[in-house]
Amino acid sequence: MQYIIAFATSKKALTPDGIAAAILLDLAVSVAFGNTGFLVLCSFFIGAVIVDKIKNRVKNRGRTVASDDKDCRNYVQVMANGLVAFVSAIAFIATKNPICIIPFVASLAEAFSDTVASGIGAFATNVYDPFRRTKCEKGLSGGMSLE
C-alpha cells in the first residue's frame, strides 16, 4: 500500500484528500476481496494514471506551463470512480455473498473504460455532442469522436 501512495504522490496523481479516499477504498476492498481485489483496484489506478498523464501531455502541448492542479484527482473523483466498488466491498463483508463481486469488477471496468475513452479523445479531430447535436471542442463532457 505504501508503494502505491508513494507512486500517487510522485506522479501527482492524487490530492491529499484523494489519497485519503483511496486509502479508505483500498481498506474496504482489501478486507472484502483480499489480494485479488487489491490487484484489481491497483490495475485500475495505475492504468488510469498512465492514461491521464498521456492525455494531459497532449492537452498541454504547446503551453509553456502545465497546470498540475487539474491533473490531480481529488476525493470527489476517487469516490465517483470507486463508490460502487466501495459499497460492493462493504456489502460483501456484511453478507459474504459472492454476487457482490460482479458490481465491484464491473464498476472499475466502466470507470477505466471511461478514462481510456477520455484519453483517446485527446487525439480526436472532430468531436460531436450527440445530445446538443453540434460539434464541440475536444475535452468537453459529452463530446464523442470516431477515435
Side-chain angles (χ1 to χ4, degrees):
M1 178 67 178
Q2 65 269 20
Y3 298 115
I4 302 299
I5 293 171
F7 176 77
T9 304
S10 72
K11 295 297 179 185
K12 297 181 181 173
L14 294 170
T15 61
D17 60 351
I19 289 173
I23 290 171
L24 182 65
L25 174 60
D26 170 58
L27 287 173
V29 168
S30 293
V31 169
F33 306 118
N35 290 336
T36 303
F38 178 73
L39 182 62
V40 170
L41 193 61
C42 284
S43 298
F44 161 73
F45 177 69
I46 291 169
V49 168
I50 291 168
V51 168
D52 280 348
K53 290 300 174 184
I54 292 169
K55 177 180 74 175
N56 288 324
R57 217 175 259 164
V58 170
K59 280 174 50 178
N60 292 330
R61 199 180 286 159
R63 293 183 187 167
T64 55
V65 177
S67 69
D68 285 335
D69 292 342
K70 290 184 179 180
D71 297 349
C72 292
R73 291 178 180 243
N74 61 23
Y75 77 96
V76 173
Q77 292 163 313
V78 171
M79 284 294 112
N81 286 319
L83 185 61
V84 173
F86 178 78
V87 170
S88 300
I90 297 299
F92 184 80
I93 292 168
T95 66
K96 298 294 183 208
N97 188 340
I99 196 92
C100 298
I101 296 169
I102 294 170
F104 167 73
V105 174
S107 68
L108 291 178
E110 185 281 325
F112 186 65
S113 68
D114 182 58
T115 299
V116 170
S118 175
I120 291 170
F123 296 96
T125 52
N126 292 316
V127 181
Y128 184 75
D129 185 340
F131 297 106
R132 293 187 186 104
R133 292 178 276 192
T134 61
K135 285 189 173 189
C136 65
E137 282 186 48
K138 61 183 172 182
L140 290 179
S141 185
M144 299 171 77
S145 67
L146 187 58
E147 291 87 355

